[in-house]
Amino acid sequence: MSEAQIKNLEKEFDARIARDEKIEPKDWMPEKYRKTHIRQMSQHAHSEIIGMLPEGNWISRAPSLRRKVALLAKVQDEGGHGLYLYSATETLGITRDELFEQLHSGKAKYSSIFNYPTLTWADIGAIGWLVDGAAIINQVPLCSTSFGPYARAMVRVCKEESFHQRQGYEIMVKLMKGTPEQKAMAQDALNRWWWPSLMMLGPTDSESVHTAQSMKWKLKRKTNDELRQQFIDQTVPQAELIGLNIPDEELKWNKEKKSYDFGTIDWDEFWQVVKGHGPCNKERMTARVSAWENGQWVRDAAMAHAEKQEHKKLNKVG
Ligand code: FAQ
């Protein structure tokens, strides 16, 4: 293709984005658009799959049958979200095996938040309330992202995240109505998960290498800082309502801005976790890679069965 032809295609592509049209897998798209989507969507998928691990830790120890059923359903949903997202990413011309290889070799990232430990039952409340709360704020704008398969996947994912967030908040409400020990457990979980939840929404806009281009392509509809502010403004009143204290001495309502001012985020900690030095990075990757390796015989058996069926069909036709 000549340079002039590519320029024309790019012009038409930009015009489609400006008209808020969805880009579909077989449409022409700039190579960088395709690659950026593979990066963000696959990282999102990996986060859902790795995100099952911290909560999986509590399924067998949930305090009642009702809590166990709800947690089990939530973790299964996360597996489902990962699968939608892998399928949507595959429409961009990369295979599932390649995506897994990128995760297992450390080439692809997954969300920093899942490298923290779940020490008590209250952590399951904090994850649902804060982590799913932040995920919803991040993902609702993604329902109108420009790439069709990603936008459509997000619609269903957001409905399920909303149940996840309530499941978590309900745990916190119950603990805050409980004994002094239960209240202390809820406060301790908030103290440990608050700052990592703010970090989860990505580096500040001035440090975010992808935001400007992703906003132009309408992949991202809000910047990291906008999402973080929205998350804080929504969550602080929820904490106050049940008597929890946000662990930030600089947190203060700003009348003019009509939103909260907040303290400094420890970006050093964030980058350490992203680079693989968080409290649970090694544990998470070991669990994931060994699940993949231990499941090899299942994949082999499924493939052998599929081949046999294919053989039978061909023999019948023959
Ligand atoms: N962790 O230029 P930006 C969930 C990386 S799903 C690790 O700002 P971007 C559900 C970033 O990749 C949670 N790395 O990047 C659930 C880039 O590095 P790269 C996941 C991070 O993409 C709940 C570099 O830093 N959600 O929670 C993080 O424009 C409960 C520069 O950053 C999504 O993935 C981080 N937190 O903005 C499951 C949503 N932040 O790739 C289980 C979709 C940034 O060049 C239990 N993703 N980095 O090597 C997004 O919206 C965006 O990708 C952002 C980052 C906002 C996460």
Side-chain angles (χ1 to χ4, degrees), residues 26-43:
K26 289 191 175 151
D27 296 346
W28 186 88
M29 61 185 80
E31 192 50 19
K32 277 192 179 160
Y33 178 92
R34 195 179 72 83
K35 287 212 169 114
T36 295
H37 276 75
I38 291 178
R39 179 190 64 79
Q40 179 168 320
M41 291 164 67
S42 64
Q43 288 182 178

Side-chain angles (χ1 to χ4, degrees), residues 21-282:
E21 276 177 31
K22 290 279 175 262
I23 307 299
E24 297 299 337
K26 289 191 175 151
D27 296 346
W28 186 88
M29 61 185 80
E31 192 50 19
K32 277 192 179 160
Y33 178 92
R34 195 179 72 83
K35 287 212 169 114
T36 295
H37 276 75
I38 291 178
R39 179 190 64 79
Q40 179 168 320
M41 291 164 67
S42 64
Q43 288 182 178
H44 194 166
H46 300 326
S47 303
E48 296 280 359
I49 298 294
I50 299 280
M52 298 165 79
L53 295 170
E55 291 171 308
N57 183 31
W58 279 91
I59 290 173
S60 60
R61 292 181 284 161
S64 69
L65 181 60
R66 177 173 173 269
R67 295 285 178 206
K68 188 185 280 226
V69 168
L71 183 59
L72 201 54
K74 177 184 193 291
V75 174
Q76 281 176 343
D77 284 351
E78 280 147 11
H81 297 173
L83 298 183
Y84 294 155
L85 285 162
Y86 283 129
S87 297
T89 313
E90 283 175 292
T91 67
L92 289 162
I94 187 161
T95 65
R96 185 99 42 127
D97 278 353
E98 285 170 315
L99 294 172
F100 284 147
E101 196 280 323
Q102 289 179 354
L103 173 65
H104 298 162
S105 66
K107 258 184 264 160
K109 295 187 167 74
Y110 60 89
S111 183
S112 50
I113 193 76
F114 302 118
N115 292 306
Y116 291 85
T118 41
L119 304 177
T120 70
W121 171 250
D123 289 8
I124 300 306
I127 290 182
W129 174 38
L130 303 174
V131 178
D132 286 278
I136 295 173
I137 284 181
N138 171 274
Q139 288 168 182
V140 166
L142 289 175
C143 295
S144 56
T145 190
S146 61
F147 185 54
Y150 195 20
R152 289 189 288 275
M154 281 302 109
V155 173
R156 168 125 184 219
V157 167
C158 281
K159 283 184 190 160
E160 292 175 352
E161 298 289 21
S162 161
F163 150 72
H164 298 173
Q165 195 269 353
R166 281 178 226 175
Q167 172 263 1
Y169 191 58
E170 196 214 0
I171 292 174
M172 296 308 256
V173 170
K174 187 88 178 173
L175 289 173
M176 290 307 289
K177 285 183 182 161
T179 62
E181 287 81 4
Q182 284 171 318
K183 287 182 187 171
M185 197 162 84
Q187 183 63 52
D188 171 62
L190 172 60
N191 293 348
R192 286 181 290 107
W193 288 91
W194 176 252
W195 293 101
S197 299
L198 300 189
M199 294 173 197
M200 178 188 162
L201 294 158
T204 53
D205 294 350
S206 56
E207 297 290 315
S208 165
V209 286
H210 301 296
T211 294
Q213 183 60 66
S214 293
M215 293 290 284
K216 277 190 201 146
W217 278 329
K218 298 185 180 169
L219 160 56
K220 283 169 96 161
R221 309 302 306 246
K222 288 190 175 179
T223 72
N224 301 355
D225 286 337
E226 284 169 347
L227 294 171
R228 195 166 9 254
Q229 187 69 57
Q230 194 181 332
F231 172 71
I232 293 169
D233 293 346
Q234 172 180 300
T235 311
V236 173
Q238 294 170 352
E240 284 171 354
L241 186 71
I242 57 175
L244 282 165
N245 297 313
I246 301 284
D248 177 357
E249 286 181 2
E250 290 168 55
L251 188 80
K252 204 171 159 215
W253 179 250
N254 183 324
K255 261 195 222 154
E256 276 137 46
K257 256 181 32 187
K258 291 201 169 59
S259 67
Y260 284 92
D261 291 332
F262 54 95
T264 312
I265 295 173
D266 183 352
W267 291 113
D268 228 36
E269 174 181 325
F270 170 74
W271 290 115
Q272 282 300 318
V273 176
V274 171
K275 286 182 190 147
H277 312 302
C280 299
N281 295 60
K282 285 201 179 72

